[in-house]
Every structure is written in structure tokens, then in C-alpha cells.
Amino acid sequence: MSRLPRWVGGAGAGLTRLARRLEERTAEVEGAAPAADTTGADGAPEPGRAADPAHASLPIRSGAADDSARSGAGPAVPAPAPAAGDPEHVPPPPGYAPAVPARPDPVAVVPWGVRVAAEVAWRLLILAGTLWVLMRVISSVRLVVLSFVAGLLITALLQPTVAWLKRRGVPRGLATAMTFISGFVVMGLVGWFVVWQVTDNLDDLSGQVQQGIKDLKHWLLTSPFHVTENQINNIADNLSTAIGANTKDITTAGIEGVQVILEVLTGILLAMFSTLFLLYDGPRIWEWLLKLFPAAAREGVAGAGPRAWATLTAYVRGTVIVALIDAIFIGIGLFFLKVPLAVPLAVFIFLFAFIPLVGAVVSGALAVVVALVTKDVFTALMVLTVVLAVQQIEGHVLQPFILGRAVRVHPLAVVLSVAAGSLVAGIGGAVVAVPLAAVTNTVVGYLRAYAKDKALAAAPPDGPAAQASSEASRS
């Protein structure tokens, strides 16, 4: 009888272990695949589904697979699915559908570099479209735009005189009237002097041109180029034939020339009115323009405006001084070489100096051609030497010294801006291209420095921006 309690205790311990094992097995099955919903439409359990644990959504692994997983011999390999007639076959519950893998986000599939390039590309397209529309508008009202820009350049030249008169106690209206009248009177007298010199010497110039052509023909016949008289006569006949065949085109060009003259006169009047009002109401016009900008950007634009105006004033003053020096020295050279129309040629050199790059070449070539057809080859070579010497002094001494760093623009930017300006608006566009590039360079540089200073002021005292600024100041 003493063995009976021990046998009963051992059986109870075995049953306890069996119950724990069944609970662990049930928990493992429920954790591997959650049971399907066993409730019906009315909330009651459907018959044959809730009470039977064999209706789980996933089949139970075989014992060998469980043992191998527990022993750590390797990853558990799922047992093959039993056949339909196998007693271990567990059919899937009604409404069961296998899980479909989620598709990746298309944005995440695109590489980062391609996304960055696309973001930059559409912004560049918007900017290019805006610029194209702006150029179309400017081309449509080109006369008005060029007249206003010409008035702006003349204002930059005359405004220091108005400021000087105001400092001497002259009222603003009187100072503006005196400066405006005297400035345009001087420009008108210069134009009248050029026209008078050309018309007064036209008869003598015609005879000198005919004599020069004869001398050039004689030089070509006796030159080492082996040019024959028949070749020269053929060139002259072809030229006469071309002129006779294109008479209609020449007449059309003359009619268009009359239209151009009318447009030039209209542009001159618009430039005069623009200059008058800019000289008198310049500060108030600038205050009105500032109101068109957003309030957040108004402070930066207000600081960039005076710097842009100082750059434009320095450019116009420096260009006038350099052009005047070129005209004086080349005119003196033409006078001592006894080239006809030395004074009108000097005035042309002064005016063409406002066209960067192209103006110096055209005016110098004109002086050389006049010397060639009116004098001889030696005089033309001497004129070419004088022109090249003065232009070299201008490029390497006068412009760096007079213009200074305020309007320094890279030569590539000068070439590209002049080319673009001439394509958009012809000679007028070439004239305003370089000052526009210089002003843009000044404004962009100031706005970049202004944004950097504003970011440093908004940064915390111990932030990285403040530390970098302090390190830069110490270095």
C-alpha cells in the first residue's frame, strides 16, 4: 500500500506535464497563423469551426520538423502538403486567401540622382519659358525699352551734375532743367558738327576717293600679288552689274531707311522725356518700384538698388572718359597724317566706343579705309598702327584704372552678353549688354552676401554658423 501514493503522484505529474505540453503546442499554432473568423453574421459561432482546432488557417508542421527545429540542427523545413485523401490533410477554411506581397512605392524605386535631375529640370524649364516670354515682350516693344534704357544711361551720366547743383543750394527743379538742357544741347551740337563737317567736305572727299581708287589700282598692278588689269576691270564690272540688278532691293532699303530714321527720332524723344523725369523724380520712382516687391524681399532689394545705380554710374562715366581719350588721340594721329575728315572720324570713334568689342573694330576699320582710299597704303598702315596702339593702351591701362573693380566683368561674360544683346535688339542691345551684365553681377553679389549675413544673424550664438563665422574672423 505504501507504493500506491507514489504511483498516484507520478501519474499526476505526468498528466501535468502533458497538459503543459498541449498548452505550449496550442500557443505555437495560434502564434504561427491566427485563426479565421469563426463568427457568423449574427455573431454566433459557426458550427464545426470554433470547436475544432484542426480548422486553423495554416497546417501544423510535422513532428520531425518540430524536433529538428528544437534541436538546433538547422532551419526547419516544412513538411510536404498531404494529399486530399490523407487523414492529416487539413482543408483551408472558407474565405481564406493567401497573402499578396505589397508592391514597392514607385517614388522609392526611382534612383536618387534621377529624382534630383528631374526636380532641377522642371524648374529650369519654367525659368527658360519665363525668359522666352520676357524676350518676346521686349522684342515687341523694343523701341520703348531701348529708349528708356538710353534715358537711364544718360541719367546716370547727368545725375551727378544735378546732385552737385543741389549741394550748392540750387532748387531741384532748376538744377534738373539746367542739367537737362545743357546736356542735350552739347549732344546736339556734337551731332550738328559731324553732319556739317561731312557735308562741307563731301565734294573734296569725292575727288580724293576717286584719286585714291586710281592710286589703289596702280598699286595693285605693281604689287607682288600679280593682279592684272583685266581682273580689276572684271571686279569693277561685276560690282556695277550687282548694283544694277539689285536696284529694287536698294530702293526698298532706302524706304526702310526712312522708317528707321522715323524710329530713331521717336526713340530720341522718348529718351529725352525719360531722362527728364528720371532726373527730377528718380528717388520717388524708386520708392514706388520697391512697393512692387514682397515685404520679405523689400529690404534686400532696397540695399541692392543704390549699389546697382553706383555701378551703372561708374560704368557710364568711365566709358565716356575712355571714349573721349580714344577719340582725342586717334583724331590727333589722323590730323598729323593729313587724313581727310579727321574730326568727324574722331567723333565716330567716340560714339562707337560705347559698343564693346565691336565698336572699336568698326571705327578703327573706317579710319583705315578712309586713309586708304584718300591717301595711300603707307598712310593707311600708319593709321592702323595708331589705332592699335591707342586701343592697347585703352584695354590694359585706361579701363582697369578708370573703371576699376566696381564694374569688372569677365571677358567671356562681355563677349556672350554683347552677342546676345545684338541678337535680341541689334546695335542698341549690344550697347546696353555690358552695363546690364555689370549691374546684374553687383546685385547678385550683394544679395548673396545679404542672405548670408541674415542667416548668421538668425542662427543661435553657439550654432555651427556662428562658430564658422568666428573661426573665419579669427583666421
Side-chain angles (χ1 to χ4, degrees):
M1 295 297 293
S2 61
R3 293 180 179 179
L4 182 59
R6 286 183 292 179
W7 179 84
V8 173
L15 291 174
T16 303
R17 286 196 298 270
L18 181 60
R20 187 181 298 112
R21 179 71 179 274
L22 289 175
E23 290 176 359
E24 292 175 357
R25 183 66 174 170
T26 302
E28 182 181 356
V29 172
E30 291 176 353
D37 189 10
T38 59
T39 60
D42 55 352
E46 294 182 1
R49 296 186 61 186
D52 190 0
H55 290 281
S57 60
L58 292 176
I60 303 174
R61 295 181 299 175
S62 63
D66 293 338
D67 295 339
S68 62
R70 293 192 197 97
S71 62
V77 179
D86 195 337
E88 295 184 1
H89 173 70
V90 181
Y96 169 76
V100 179
R103 295 183 179 180
D105 187 6
V107 178
V109 175
V110 180
W112 174 255
V114 177
R115 279 187 278 171
V116 172
E119 292 285 340
V120 175
W122 71 261
R123 287 175 171 84
L124 289 178
L125 286 176
I126 292 177
L127 290 177
T130 304
L131 185 61
W132 182 80
V133 172
L134 182 61
M135 290 296 101
R136 295 282 296 188
V137 172
I138 291 176
S139 299
S140 301
V141 291
R142 181 173 57 185
L143 178 62
V144 178
V145 173
L146 290 179
S147 301
F148 177 76
V149 173
L152 195 64
L153 295 176
I154 298 173
T155 303
L157 179 64
L158 300 179
Q159 193 271 336
T161 305
V162 176
W164 182 82
L165 291 174
K166 286 179 60 181
R167 287 194 299 268
R168 296 298 184 275
V170 181
R172 183 175 186 82
L174 182 58
T176 301
M178 292 173 59
T179 305
F180 175 80
I181 294 173
S182 59
F184 278 93
V185 164
V186 170
M187 288 185 281
L189 288 176
V190 170
W192 170 79
F193 180 76
V194 172
V195 174
W196 172 63
Q197 285 290 313
V198 172
T199 54
D200 189 59
N201 297 302
L202 189 60
D203 296 336
D204 296 339
L205 182 63
S206 176
Q208 290 178 353
V209 167
Q210 292 178 0
Q211 184 63 35
I213 292 175
K214 292 180 181 179
D215 295 339
L216 180 61
K217 179 179 178 181
H218 177 72
W219 180 81
L220 290 174
L221 292 174
T222 58
S223 67
F225 298 108
H226 304 289
V227 180
T228 62
E229 187 172 359
N230 291 330
Q231 292 175 339
I232 297 175
N233 293 332
N234 289 333
I235 293 174
D237 293 339
N238 292 332
L239 184 62
S240 300
T241 304
I243 294 175
N246 296 315
T247 304
K248 183 178 179 180
D249 296 337
I250 295 174
T251 304
T252 304
I255 297 175
E256 292 179 353
V258 174
Q259 296 177 353
V260 169
I261 291 175
L262 293 177
E263 291 182 357
V264 168
L265 293 177
T266 304
I268 290 174
L269 292 177
L270 289 175
M272 292 176 64
F273 279 108
S274 300
T275 303
L276 178 62
F277 289 110
L278 287 173
L279 285 174
Y280 184 74
D281 278 338
R284 283 190 286 182
I285 293 174
W286 172 243
E287 292 175 0
W288 178 81
L289 287 176
L290 281 178
K291 296 179 182 178
L292 301 179
F293 291 91
R298 198 169 296 164
E299 184 179 356
V301 177
R307 289 166 176 80
W309 182 252
T311 299
L312 183 62
T313 304
Y315 174 82
V316 174
R317 276 198 224 166
T319 304
V320 168
I321 294 174
V322 170
L324 187 61
I325 294 175
D326 288 352
I328 290 175
F329 282 97
I330 295 178
I332 291 174
L334 294 175
F335 177 78
F336 280 106
L337 290 173
K338 296 182 180 179
V339 176
L341 301 177
V343 176
L345 286 175
V347 175
F348 277 116
I349 290 170
F350 172 80
L351 296 177
F352 276 88
F354 287 91
I355 306 176
L357 301 178
V358 181
V361 176
V362 173
S363 60
L366 179 63
V368 172
V369 169
V370 171
L372 180 63
V373 298
T374 57
K375 304 296 289 185
D376 50 23
V377 178
F378 175 77
T379 305
L381 293 176
M382 294 300 297
V383 171
L384 179 62
T385 303
V386 171
V387 170
L388 292 178
V390 172
Q391 290 179 357
Q392 289 298 315
I393 295 173
E394 169 200 341
H396 294 87
V397 179
L398 296 179
Q399 286 188 353
F401 178 74
I402 296 175
L403 296 179
R405 299 181 60 89
V407 292
R408 181 170 295 178
V409 182
H410 195 275
L412 180 60
V414 173
V415 173
L416 294 179
S417 59
V418 170
S422 61
L423 289 176
V424 173
I427 297 177
V431 171
V432 304
V434 175
L436 180 61
V439 169
T440 303
N441 184 33
T442 301
V443 171
V444 170
Y446 171 78
L447 292 179
R448 188 188 299 117
Y450 172 79
K452 184 177 179 181
D453 294 341
K454 194 171 182 179
L456 291 176
D462 54 348
Q467 293 177 1
S469 177
S470 61
E471 292 176 0
S473 62
R474 285 197 300 268
S475 62

